[in-house]
Amino acid sequence: MGMVICLISLYLLNANGIIVPDGCFIITWSFSIVTAVATLLSAIGQVMSDKKIIKES
């Protein structure tokens, strides 16, 4: 959620004529995507772990 606020802030600054380097957008988007993928993989791992525990019981 923090990255979304950061992106919105960057776009608002850019829209108001303040020069924001493209690298800031790229880094923020990249970090957001990496975080989302990591969260997705963590959730998949948790589901697989839960299924394994249920099968063993």
Side-chain angles (χ1 to χ4, degrees):
M1 186 65 190
M3 287 293 112
V4 172
I5 293 170
C6 184
L7 278 170
I8 291 171
S9 299
L10 288 174
Y11 282 116
L12 287 174
L13 287 171
N14 203 16
N16 287 321
I18 297 171
I19 297 172
V20 179
D22 289 338
C24 292
F25 290 106
I26 294 169
I27 289 170
T28 308
W29 273 111
S30 300
F31 189 75
S32 298
I33 291 169
V34 167
T35 304
V37 169
T39 303
L40 182 63
L41 291 175
S42 174
I44 291 171
Q46 185 66 37
V47 168
M48 297 299 267
S49 176
D50 289 347
K51 281 187 176 182
K52 185 178 179 183
I53 292 170
I54 292 171
K55 275 187 176 181
E56 290 176 357
S57 328

